[in-house]
Amino acid sequence: MRNYYIAGNWKMHKTVAESVALAKALVAELGSCGERVMIAPAFTALSAVSEAIKGSRIVLGAQNMGPETQGAHTGEVSPWMLKDLGVRAVILGHSERRHSYGESDALVNKKVLLALAEGLEPILCVGETLEEREAGRLEAVVGTQVREGLKGVRAEDLAAVTIAYEPVWAIGTGKTATPDDADAVHAYIRGVIAGLYGEAAAKAMCIQYGGSVKPENAAELMAKPNIDGALVGGASLKAENFGPIANFRS
Ligand code: PEP
């Protein structure tokens, strides 16, 4: 049976106390959840949430990471600092980082390589804007983001990498790609991986879908052959929404 990877990106939401309360509610709600579940609170809440989920099956993630381990990098957070707090996974190249903060494929790739070198599991986010989709550039854009994001990643490190396909027009908008549309892009991404690393690696690659995933559409999306999990934004902020998404099979 397939094991799904359900991740929650809390973005710039919640104080430390609010984050701990949500983390504790999720520990209670997801006690018997068979999927791999990750939550990514704000940096300021990582330490407290790490304590709150200790002993549970929930994995601690970060929403971003600096491209160096230490030094004169004002405002950045090092993979060493993340590991020190119990972080195991890190979201990289989220569309908000790419589009609001100008992160390039080259920078995202540098972070992916550093995360792997430091033993963190990157979630590499890719996705096209509405303009790019309507101009027929979906595959060119997503293909480039996958190829450039994975540049220099060794085949033996690929198992630690997750790809999240997040059409930019579906993030936080309430618009979801239809399960068939999402699955088609996931199949395309799998083909790109096959071209880079071979069929077996492509088959094994975990590809999450992200973009207005909610309790009502999670099962339908997860039923698709190429969708291996979800990266959830807005609906990850309440246990009564994220719980049923992670528990979509029950
Ligand atoms: C996201 O930010 O990764 C995301 C998918 O957000 P939402 O679920 O709110 O669309």
Side-chain angles (χ1 to χ4, degrees):
M1 194 161 65
R2 252 192 327 164
N3 186 244
Y4 293 81
Y5 183 10
I6 312 293
N9 173 10
W10 295 1
K11 306 194 184 186
M12 199 172 72
H13 293 288
K14 299 195 182 288
T15 62
V16 173
E18 289 165 349
S19 300
V20 167
L22 176 55
K24 285 184 174 164
L26 290 174
V27 168
E29 182 118 353
L30 300 176
S32 57
C33 177
E35 319 306 339
R36 183 165 205 251
V37 177
M38 180 272 260
I39 53 175
F43 288 129
T44 49
L46 281 171
S47 178
V49 169
S50 185
E51 276 303 310
I53 62 174
K54 205 168 256 174
S56 79
R57 296 182 59 254
I58 298 177
V59 171
L60 187 63
Q63 299 173 19
N64 186 23
M65 185 191 88
E68 310 285 344
T69 52
Q70 65 178 347
H73 302 286
T74 303
E76 294 291 350
V77 174
S78 156
W80 292 353
M81 297 164 184
L82 298 179
K83 290 194 292 183
D84 188 40
L85 298 178
V87 169
R88 281 167 50 200
V90 59
I91 299 168
L92 296 175
H94 190 278
S95 71
E96 287 150 18
R97 300 299 319 167
R98 291 179 188 267
H99 295 286
S100 304
Y101 298 95
E103 292 203 9
S104 63
D105 281 327
L107 178 60
V108 174
N109 175 243
K110 188 173 182 189
K111 293 182 181 189
V112 167
L113 293 174
L114 180 61
L116 289 169
E118 293 299 329
L120 290 167
E121 299 168 10
I123 296 179
L124 169 62
C125 300
V126 301
E128 82 289 357
T129 63
L130 190 57
E131 201 182 12
E132 289 163 341
R133 172 176 274 248
E134 287 175 348
R137 296 182 51 230
L138 190 163
E139 293 191 353
V141 169
V142 170
T144 300
Q145 289 173 340
V146 171
R147 282 190 201 91
E148 295 300 312
L150 293 178
K151 207 171 234 173
V153 171
R154 299 174 309 176
E156 59 264 41
D157 289 335
L158 205 62
V161 178
T162 296
I163 293 178
Y165 169 58
E166 301 203 300
V168 179
W169 49 271
I171 296 179
T173 59
K175 290 183 191 147
T176 320
T178 67
D180 284 338
D181 281 349
D183 193 57
V185 183
H186 283 225
Y188 170 73
I189 292 171
R190 226 178 270 292
V192 173
I193 302 295
L196 294 171
Y197 296 96
E199 288 293 339
K203 198 161 177 252
M205 170 62 69
C206 174
I207 307 178
Q208 295 172 323
Y209 170 76
S212 300
V213 176
K214 38 190 184 268
E216 297 76 36
N217 60 19
E220 206 188 348
L221 286 160
M222 298 308 125
K224 290 292 161 189
N226 288 291
I227 300 182
D228 307 310
L231 179 53
V232 186
S236 71
L237 294 171
K238 287 187 176 166
E240 59 265 39
N241 290 330
F242 192 63
I245 292 174
N247 281 325
F248 73 94
R249 272 201 263 216
S250 55

